[in-house]
Amino acid sequence: MNGTSEGKQKDRRPAKDDEAVVKAPPLPHITLGYHPLRLLVQRLKQDTFNRLGELIDEIQEGTEKDRKLKIINFMMERRQQWTKVLVLVMYAKKAQDLPGLIDLSSYFWHFKLTTDRFLSEMFRIRSDFVTAKVPNADLKTALEVLSKGSSSVPKTYGFLPPPPLSAAEILRTVRKINTLLAFRFSLHEIPPVHFRSYKIRSGKATFTVENEFEVDLSIGQEDHTSQLYLVDFRFLFTPTMDLEPLQRFRSAIINQGNTILLNKQLPGIYDFLHNLALTNKISVLAGQAGLLQEITGGRWAEAINCTMFKRTLRINYWIMSRADSKSWIDVGVLAPTEKLPSRLGVRWFRENKEVTDVEVPLDVANLSTERLLKSVIALHTRHILTNLHQSLSSLAIFPPHTLKLKIDELDSSNSVLSIQLTATRELSIAIEPITGKFVLKKPSTIISNAEASINSSSSISIYNLRDMIGNLRHRTLREEIVDRASKLDWECPPLRIIKPDDVKKWFGQDHKPRYIIYLRRKNWYKNWILAITMGDNGEQAWIVDLREVGGSHEIANVKIIALKTEKFGFSSLSHLEMVASATISNYVNCKELDDRNIQYTLKQSKGGESGIRRAHICIRTASIMRTDASWARDSLTLNYSNLTSNGEIRLVVQGGAKEPMTQLKMEDMSSSDSDIFFHPPSGSFGMNFVTKVGVGVIDQVIQRLQSIERLISFVSVIRQKNLSCQHVELGKIVFVYTTSPIRSATIQFSGEQLELIFPEGSPHVRVSTFLNDLLKKGGLTQVISQLKLTTSLLVALDEIEKKSPEGIVNITTRGLEWYRLYYPNTRNHIIDIRAFRRRSELVWFIKDGNIVRPQGQQDQPINPHDPAAYSPLRPFYVDDSTPGIEGLRSGSAVKAEMIGEALNRVHVILCPEYAQVLAAKSGG
């Protein structure tokens, strides 16, 4: 049998010549992306040539080492490139094999892709066949219905029609069913607590669960133990899942409900439909959330994130402003309690913490995910703004009248916290409901930067937000102060090099400043500035004493200034300038007084019309005066007066003498210094000082006090000597010491400087140096005495010197009371003129220096016959009996008023030529 079958198979084989030859199709050749090798070689060659030219230009400069390094780097880099080309050339030698391999690989890849697509399409067709099990369409009947509106084919399914019921029978049957249901639920099967609300009508019992569902139940038999049947059910909330198009799903629910009624009766059907309603609600909310999340260009697009965990819907909101999305709501089924069944509820997590003290409103009858989100966001916005309001209220810089909070429980976009930053600028803080970003209204550059800084933070606490708002307030106020100060010609020195340790040491103990503004007036001394510190406790003004050490500034001392207002308007800055200038002036002057160990007290005066409380310095006069201060009152007062137009400070020193200064007549002071004023009847005087702020005036006060003391004492002496003053001012007195002719002298004094000046041609120019020494050591009284004593003598000496021939006499001044006349042509005669007190009267003694007395015989009488005792002046000494001239043994004693005449007589004797001059003068 095997052989037979094999023979048959052989008979069925086609002949060899008749066999069809099937050849494989040629592989598609890939040409896309191919580039000729020669193009690569040409480009590399051109690039090498270009870089070589650049290298030649570069090695023209630099050291030999740099040139070699550049050449080596160039050669190594080019070698790598040409090595790669060499490898490609070696591969190119086998170019006839590589294209086939590439084509084969491409073919396999396309074949696999086609196979995958075919299998996927087959599976799709198979899955579509599941829903394609429908009867064939009755096109003939359909065409008839579409054309005529009705069908002539009778509707019959092969069943015998039931006998028709009359209306009475139907009514009787329905009533009977109603009665049976009423008895059953009243006597035999008590409905559970959640089904206590029901109605019986139309042959069915309708049980209602508020905001969830209604279910219609009926019976098929009269026995009270028979099964209840589920006729229909309806959801009592909107929107709801539409079950009408899904008839199979609805039928499945009804069938499942009938099964549950058979096994678990009413409690079972309640649990089934209750859970179905809750699940449906969560599904509706999830569907709405998905639409809000997925709508392109919608309000909530990319602003929320929705996820489902079993029957819990989680919605993360504000994910755009907070990357970690720390706030969300969970919508799910809450566990039942003793009084309440399981129900739909919301759990709110705010900043990773569940909020249990706030009830989130959820409308379970009218479901709306967007309305739920808005309610939660409104609560979250209220929480943030309320806490921010409370936190800002704790700062001294935000008193109650600067904060105003408005809350809208429904729409968070209407919730606003208004903050009065400065007197002219207000800030409104709101939160954008969808994104959760802070919106700072009434924008400016500073506010816009602050808003960007706040929103750029993925996590920000209330305290951080409070600090940012505080910083915004400080920066806004700083901008206003600097702007207004610049308009008032204040300078803002760049003092960033002040050491932070100094700032913390001097300003950070109690005030803890966040920002510091440094201001300086142009006419202030360079080491003084005004600092305005801004912190959580408010603003405070300081005067700062700086010292420059090694290129940086160190704070030597600070002084706090009481602010009249914190508005920092133009008037406030002007007021601040006055207070700061006065404080700096008092500080500097008090420091100078301390350095000099001068006793003083700093007293606070009452505010005047301007309301400025100014401190004044009371200086003890005896402590500041270096000389006797018995003439002055016990104290001086140094007061701030005002500021000049160019910003310098004007100070007033007030004092007085113990006695009236009646000797200072007002007409005498008509040309006096305008910075000093006197009131002679009361003895009061005052001094005005105009100086830079920061420069002390104690030295000037001392100098002027000395000048006033000297002025009063000098004028008193002049009056006592019965002399007259031509001109009186502080630091200068011109008085007349002879009236015929008028001869005057000028006393100039300033501080330690004291000088007696005589006009040109005055006879006392000869002795001005001696008189100045006497003025400094002995006082003006002795000077005036010397002026009276020497006037006649010095006039005579000037006359002799001017009218005598040259070389006849040489006059030498040895002192105020010693003069010498030397006559070289008259036996070298020497005449000494000296003042001595004789018989309680100061007289001049003319001594003949040519009378030589032997040793030991100075007290013996002169022998007139002794040749050594001979002198041409002997007749003048012995024989002259002129009143006021008394001859002595070796000279003459002459009264002051007669010294001129006596001197002329001596000179005539020793110089006969002078006698001719006098005779010619008298004859003329």
Side-chain angles (χ1 to χ4, degrees):
M1 291 180 64
N2 293 337
T4 305
S5 66
E6 290 178 359
K8 292 180 180 180
Q9 290 177 359
K10 291 180 180 179
D11 294 339
R12 290 196 298 269
R13 293 175 182 172
K16 185 177 182 180
D17 297 337
D18 297 336
E19 289 181 357
V21 179
V22 179
K23 295 182 179 181
L27 294 175
H29 183 56
I30 305 301
T31 59
L32 183 64
Y34 279 75
H35 299 283
L37 181 61
R38 65 176 181 275
L39 179 61
L40 177 62
V41 175
Q42 289 176 357
R43 289 184 176 178
L44 184 59
K45 179 183 69 174
Q46 184 64 37
D47 182 64
T48 303
F49 178 78
N50 294 338
R51 291 183 178 235
L52 181 60
E54 294 176 358
L55 177 65
I56 294 173
D57 295 335
E58 291 178 359
I59 63 177
Q60 299 300 322
E61 300 177 355
T63 62
E64 184 67 22
K65 182 179 179 180
D66 293 338
R67 296 192 189 99
K68 291 182 179 180
L69 185 61
K70 290 180 180 179
I71 293 174
I72 292 174
N73 292 336
F74 172 77
M75 297 299 294
M76 293 179 64
E77 191 271 337
R78 289 292 95 186
R79 182 178 182 276
Q80 292 178 358
Q81 297 298 328
W82 283 105
T83 301
K84 294 178 182 179
V85 173
L86 177 61
V87 173
L88 293 177
V89 171
M90 294 175 64
Y91 274 114
K93 292 180 180 180
K94 301 178 181 180
Q96 65 275 11
D97 298 334
L98 292 177
L101 183 61
I102 294 173
D103 295 342
L104 184 61
S105 176
S106 176
Y107 172 77
F108 284 145
W109 183 79
H110 282 288
F111 181 78
K112 182 177 182 302
L113 181 62
T114 303
T115 303
D116 292 342
R117 288 178 179 176
F118 174 76
L119 293 176
S120 177
E121 187 67 18
M122 291 294 294
F123 279 112
R124 187 188 65 80
I125 293 173
R126 180 184 177 185
S127 62
D128 290 344
F129 280 163
V130 175
T131 59
K133 296 179 180 179
V134 296
N136 295 331
D138 188 357
L139 297 180
K140 181 178 179 182
T141 305
L143 181 61
E144 184 179 359
V145 170
L146 290 174
S147 59
K148 296 181 180 180
S150 60
S151 174
S152 59
V153 179
K155 295 180 179 179
T156 176
Y157 300 97
F159 297 107
L160 294 175
L165 295 175
S166 64
E169 292 176 337
I170 295 174
L171 180 59
R172 186 170 53 254
T173 302
V174 168
R175 287 178 175 175
K176 184 177 181 180
I177 295 174
N178 291 342
T179 303
L180 292 175
L181 289 174
F183 285 146
R184 180 168 182 165
F185 295 140
S186 299
L187 302 176
H188 305 290
E189 189 173 357
I190 306 300
V193 64
H194 308 299
F195 269 177
R196 293 294 173 87
S197 175
Y198 65 91
K199 296 178 181 179
I200 299 176
R201 59 184 178 183
S202 302
K204 56 187 177 180
T206 302
F207 294 89
T208 302
V209 179
E210 187 179 4
N211 297 327
E212 289 192 13
F213 63 87
E214 281 184 346
V215 58
D216 297 333
L217 303 179
S218 189
I219 55 177
Q221 299 177 7
E222 295 183 4
D223 188 1
H224 66 275
T225 60
S226 63
Q227 178 186 353
L228 290 171
Y229 291 94
L230 193 154
V231 180
D232 195 8
F233 70 94
R234 295 167 298 281
F235 290 128
L236 299 181
F237 54 87
T238 58
T240 180
M241 183 183 297
D242 191 2
L243 299 179
E244 295 299 332
L246 304 177
Q247 187 62 35
R248 288 186 306 146
F249 180 59
R250 185 179 185 83
S251 300
I253 293 176
I254 293 177
N255 293 336
Q256 181 69 20
N258 289 328
T259 303
I260 292 173
L261 283 171
L262 176 63
N263 300 321
K264 299 180 179 180
Q265 291 80 40
L266 288 179
I269 194 62
Y270 167 77
D271 291 338
F272 172 68
L273 293 180
H274 174 66
N275 289 325
L276 179 63
L278 294 180
T279 303
N280 195 309
K281 288 183 178 181
I282 295 174
S283 300
V284 170
L285 292 174
Q288 292 179 353
L291 291 177
L292 293 177
Q293 181 181 359
E294 295 175 1
I295 294 178
T296 303
R299 296 176 57 196
W300 298 90
E302 301 181 0
I304 59 175
N305 184 27
C306 306
T307 53
M308 285 290 297
F309 301 96
K310 296 183 179 179
R311 281 204 304 174
T312 300
L313 170 64
R314 173 167 294 181
I315 304 177
N316 296 74
Y317 60 94
W318 289 355
I319 62 175
M320 296 179 65
S321 59
R322 293 159 178 80
D324 50 1
S325 185
K326 293 183 178 180
S327 300
W328 69 87
I329 54 175
D330 286 343
V331 183
V333 179
L334 300 179
T337 62
E338 295 180 358
K339 297 181 179 180
L340 296 175
S342 59
R343 62 204 179 278
L344 192 66
V346 179
R347 296 175 65 194
W348 177 26
F349 290 83
R350 183 182 63 212
E351 304 298 333
N352 265 347
K353 295 181 180 179
E354 184 178 1
V355 181
T356 57
D357 56 345
V358 178
E359 182 179 358
V360 179
L362 175 62
D363 189 354
V364 295
N366 300 293
L367 301 176
S368 175
T369 303
E370 186 173 12
R371 186 165 58 249
L372 175 62
L373 271 176
K374 286 183 177 181
S375 300
V376 173
I377 290 174
L379 293 174
H380 200 159
T381 301
R382 182 185 68 179
H383 168 76
I384 293 175
L385 294 183
T386 302
N387 288 348
L388 179 58
H389 178 271
Q390 295 175 354
S391 182
L392 291 176
S393 299
S394 64
L395 300 180
I397 57 177
F398 293 112
H401 69 273
T402 62
L403 301 175
K404 182 180 179 181
L405 179 61
K406 176 186 176 184
I407 296 297
D408 191 328
E409 298 290 347
L410 300 178
D411 191 355
S412 61
S413 60
N414 295 328
S415 298
V416 179
L417 175 60
S418 299
I419 306 173
Q420 192 72 38
L421 295 178
T422 65
T424 59
R425 297 190 184 181
E426 183 179 349
L427 173 68
S428 297
I429 301 178
I431 299 178
E432 207 283 321
I434 296 177
T435 62
K437 293 184 177 181
F438 287 88
V439 179
L440 277 59
K441 298 180 181 179
K442 296 187 178 180
S444 63
T445 302
I446 296 178
I447 292 179
S448 298
N449 293 337
E451 179 180 332
S453 176
I454 293 174
N455 291 326
S456 63
S457 177
S458 60
S459 178
I460 182 170
S461 66
I462 293 297
Y463 297 102
N464 293 337
L465 187 59
R466 181 191 67 179
D467 292 341
M468 289 185 177
I469 299 301
N471 287 336
L472 174 61
R473 187 256 183 190
H474 298 321
R475 294 172 62 189
T476 304
L477 181 59
R478 180 178 65 176
E479 183 183 68
E480 281 193 356
I481 294 175
V482 171
D483 179 64
R484 292 170 181 169
S486 62
K487 293 178 181 178
L488 294 176
D489 291 334
W490 286 81
E491 295 177 342
C492 296
L495 297 176
R496 298 184 182 91
I497 55 178
I498 292 180
K499 297 179 180 179
D501 293 340
D502 276 0
V503 174
K504 184 177 181 180
K505 172 184 176 182
W506 294 100
F507 302 121
Q509 298 297 329
D510 299 322
H511 297 276
K512 298 180 181 180
R514 294 190 180 185
Y515 291 92
I516 302 178
I517 304 174
Y518 297 107
L519 300 173
R520 177 193 287 139
R521 292 290 294 177
K522 295 180 179 179
N523 285 321
W524 284 13
Y525 194 64
K526 63 180 181 180
N527 66 304
W528 286 101
I529 61 171
L530 173 67
I532 300 176
T533 58
M534 293 179 289
D536 293 341
N537 294 328
E539 289 70 46
Q540 186 58 60
W542 313 72
I543 56 170
V544 183
D545 185 10
L546 293 177
R547 295 291 182 269
E548 188 170 353
V549 179
S552 63
H553 291 85
E554 291 184 357
I555 299 178
N557 203 349
V558 298
K559 196 75 174 178
I560 197 167
I561 299 176
L563 291 177
K564 180 181 178 182
T565 178
E566 296 183 355
K567 294 183 179 180
F568 292 102
F570 290 104
S571 60
S572 300
L573 289 175
S574 299
H575 163 80
L576 186 59
E577 178 187 0
M578 291 188 292
V579 176
S581 301
T583 306
I584 293 173
S585 176
N586 287 336
Y587 177 84
V588 172
N589 289 316
C590 289
K591 189 174 184 301
E592 289 188 1
L593 292 171
D594 288 332
D595 294 340
R596 295 173 178 269
N597 293 324
I598 298 175
Q599 299 176 7
Y600 71 93
T601 56
L602 189 64
K603 296 183 178 180
Q604 194 78 16
S605 62
K606 295 182 179 180
E609 295 180 357
S610 61
I612 303 175
R613 291 179 58 84
R614 300 172 180 170
H616 61 273
I617 305 174
C618 294
I619 307 171
R620 190 167 178 266
T621 308
S623 180
I624 195 173
M625 292 294 294
R626 298 178 181 176
T627 58
D628 184 18
S630 58
W631 61 274
R633 297 173 186 170
D634 293 337
S635 64
L636 299 171
T637 302
L638 176 59
N639 282 308
Y640 162 82
S641 177
N642 55 21
L643 295 175
T644 63
S645 58
N646 58 358
E648 294 182 332
I649 190 172
R650 178 177 286 109
L651 301 174
V652 177
V653 176
Q654 295 176 340
K658 291 182 178 179
E659 298 179 358
M661 296 182 289
T662 54
Q663 69 272 25
L664 290 181
K665 298 181 179 179
M666 296 305 294
E667 57 269 15
D668 295 336
M669 303 296 292
S670 58
S671 301
S672 63
D673 192 347
S674 60
D675 288 338
I676 299 179
F677 52 89
F678 294 90
H679 188 258
S682 63
S684 300
F685 60 84
M687 294 176 280
N688 288 327
F689 298 93
V690 177
T691 181
K692 280 188 174 182
V693 176
V695 178
V697 295
I698 301 303
D699 287 338
Q700 300 180 49
V701 171
I702 294 174
Q703 291 177 5
R704 291 191 181 180
L705 282 175
Q706 292 175 350
S707 299
I708 292 174
E709 178 198 9
R710 286 176 175 171
L711 176 67
I712 296 174
S713 62
F714 287 163
V715 173
S716 298
V717 171
I718 291 172
R719 300 289 186 187
Q720 291 172 3
K721 297 296 183 180
N722 296 321
L723 302 180
S724 62
C725 297
Q726 285 185 337
H727 178 76
V728 178
E729 67 178 67
L730 189 65
K732 182 178 179 181
I733 299 176
V734 181
F735 65 95
V736 177
Y737 58 90
T738 62
T739 57
S740 180
I742 295 177
R743 291 186 177 91
S744 63
T746 301
I747 303 175
Q748 289 187 351
F749 49 91
S750 176
E752 298 295 334
Q753 301 296 325
L754 182 61
E755 185 177 8
L756 183 63
I757 302 173
F758 295 93
E760 187 178 356
S762 173
H764 286 86
V765 173
R766 185 187 302 274
V767 292
S768 61
T769 302
F770 298 104
L771 288 173
N772 274 288
D773 292 341
L774 181 62
L775 179 63
K776 295 175 182 177
K777 297 177 181 179
L780 184 59
T781 302
Q782 295 185 21
V783 170
I784 293 177
S785 298
Q786 288 293 329
L787 289 176
K788 292 181 177 182
L789 176 65
T790 58
T791 298
S792 180
L793 172 63
L794 294 176
V795 170
L797 291 178
D798 283 354
E799 191 75 17
I800 291 172
E801 197 171 42
K802 291 178 182 178
K803 296 179 179 181
S804 298
E806 186 175 356
I808 294 299
V809 63
N810 293 330
I811 302 174
T812 304
T813 304
R814 297 291 184 88
L816 288 174
E817 298 179 354
W818 187 5
Y819 304 87
R820 172 170 287 184
L821 280 68
Y822 173 63
Y823 294 87
N825 296 332
T826 308
R827 296 177 61 187
N828 294 327
H829 211 98
I830 297 175
I831 302 296
D832 282 335
I833 308 168
R834 300 187 71 174
F836 289 97
R837 186 166 296 279
R838 188 169 182 266
R839 301 188 186 119
S840 70
E841 182 181 5
L842 197 61
V843 297
W844 290 104
F845 181 69
I846 300 176
K847 182 180 180 181
D848 191 347
N850 280 43
I851 298 178
V852 180
R853 305 294 301 278
Q855 185 70 23
Q857 301 179 4
Q858 286 84 358
D859 298 335
Q860 297 180 7
I862 297 175
N863 185 1
H865 301 288
D866 186 0
Y870 172 78
S871 173
L873 297 177
R874 184 179 178 189
F876 172 71
Y877 299 149
V878 177
D879 302 332
D880 198 334
S881 59
T882 305
I885 301 175
E886 182 181 354
L888 302 174
R889 293 178 181 179
S890 58
S892 299
V894 184
K895 292 185 177 182
E897 62 270 13
M898 295 300 295
I899 187 62
E901 182 179 347
L903 204 55
N904 282 329
R905 291 182 183 182
V906 171
H907 189 58
V908 167
I909 296 172
L910 296 178
C911 182
E913 296 87 347
Y914 185 66
Q916 296 175 2
V917 174
L918 292 178
K921 181 179 180 182
S922 60

